[in-house]
Amino acid sequence: MGTPIKDVVIPSNAPKTLFLQKHADYIAAYGEKKDDYEYVMTEFLRMNGMYWGLTGMALAGQLDRMDRSEVICFVQSCQHECGGFSCSVGHDPHLLSTLSAVQILTLYNALDAVNTEAVVKWVKSLQQADGSFYGDKWGEVDTRFSFCAVACLTLLHRLEELDIDKAVEFVVSCMNFDGAFGCRPGSESHSGQVYCCVGMLSVTGHLHHINADQLGWWLCERQLASGGLNGRPEKLPDVCYSWWVLASLKIIDRLHWVDKDKLVQFILACQDEETGGFADRPGDMVDPFHTLFGLAALSLLGDRAVKPVNPVLCMPEEDIRRAGVNLQFL
């Protein structure tokens, strides 16, 4: 007998309906107690956390509950002279937090509140001769950073500042024999990296490099008997992969290849019906990260209680249209 595939069992009493208002209340209340252990210990994720929470509120149609001026002031305080944004005041700038900052400002139609010329110059400076991008001055290379760079500059309508041909060449070099992508050439295929690479190729108009049937098959094999999706073979399902996998399938027009009903059942089972919020798996602790991606995945699956989400940039479609951004899909 072979080793059984890792999975979870969904309890019979797990939630079966979406508690959208409770999720909005959970996000609105998160971080109000700034001396909470969890809040203090997540300072290194503050900008990203604000993006997760604010986008979740926007998808729930309740962004107006958040203090716009306070948010913009925080984002402004995190921009460095070089142009990049840090996760919080006193930290170094990084592409991950810079994309979150640009997305937040796009949600609020407030890009004029920061020095966008400096952002463009800094992002451009991180591109390397092989087309890859450093995440910051310390030199780590990862396909996540390729996505962050092109996503930032497409939201700023300055994508032409980058060497797109070399950037695409590097991302394509990270494609594996299974049609999926890793973080660098030769690295293991991973759903999160697939999303970043597919998203990058969508932003730059180069999706023709993808074998959609081969990649779609690999992505669909991420679905387990519970209905949930994992990030790579032999791993447990996780709500966040509902987003990384589904968004990739949507971009390459293979979303119909998964069992939508079973996936919806899994995602709904990860809610906390008392406090609101989504966890990674049924019965675990909720957090803003999984709450956003739970809501965004349900939007892709057709839940009309949640606003339509853009599968490339994980923001409401209405905000992407307002920003005048056009993206390629198969």
Side-chain angles (χ1 to χ4, degrees), residues 8-16 225-228 262 265-267 269-270 282:
V8 299
V9 176
I10 298 178
S12 59
N13 64 345
K16 295 177 175 61
S226 64
K262 290 194 73 173
Q265 181 185 32
F266 172 82
I267 295 170
C270 296

Side-chain angles (χ1 to χ4, degrees), residues 99 143-152 154 159 164 168 171 181 191-207 210 215 219 243-245 247-252 310-314 325-329:
L99 175 58
T143 46
R144 290 179 302 158
F145 309 149
S146 295
F147 172 73
C148 289
V150 300
C152 274
T154 203
L159 194 56
I164 297 300
V168 169
V171 165
F181 295 83
S191 300
Q193 307 298 148
V194 169
Y195 166 80
C196 290
C197 293
V198 171
M200 186 274 183
L201 295 173
S202 170
V203 169
T204 58
H206 286 77
L207 285 174
I210 290 173
L215 176 57
L219 289 166
W243 171 256
W244 311 125
V245 173
S248 301
L249 287 169
K250 177 71 173 177
I251 296 167
I252 65 172
N310 183 276
V312 178
L313 297 171
C314 195
V325 172
N326 296 309
L327 301 163
Q328 182 189 46
F329 301 95

Side-chain angles (χ1 to χ4, degrees), residues 24-36 39 46 57 65-67 70:
D25 293 343
Y26 163 74
I27 294 171
Y30 188 87
E32 285 186 351
K33 297 176 181 177
K34 293 185 169 51
D35 57 350
D36 273 5
Y39 185 86
R46 188 73 66 238
M57 292 298 276
R65 291 178 62 181
M66 312 305 277
D67 189 327
E70 183 181 346

Side-chain angles (χ1 to χ4, degrees), residues 55-134:
T55 305
M57 292 298 276
L59 289 174
Q62 299 190 36
L63 184 60
D64 58 355
R65 291 178 62 181
M66 312 305 277
D67 189 327
R68 182 181 190 273
S69 60
E70 183 181 346
V71 169
I72 293 174
C73 185
F74 173 78
V75 174
Q76 289 173 321
S77 72
C78 292
Q79 185 171 29
H80 289 242
E81 192 173 335
C82 66
F85 292 84
S86 55
C87 58
S88 192
V89 177
H91 291 249
D92 289 339
H94 197 284
L95 262 177
L96 294 173
S97 45
T98 298
L99 175 58
S100 290
V102 170
Q103 288 174 301
I104 290 168
L105 295 173
T106 302
L107 282 176
Y108 280 116
N109 196 21
L111 284 167
D112 58 352
V114 298
N115 185 347
T116 54
E117 283 298 326
V119 178
V120 173
K121 185 177 179 181
W122 182 73
V123 172
K124 185 177 179 179
S125 75
L126 294 172
Q127 187 169 22
Q128 304 305 301
D130 65 353
S132 66
F133 287 84
Y134 287 170

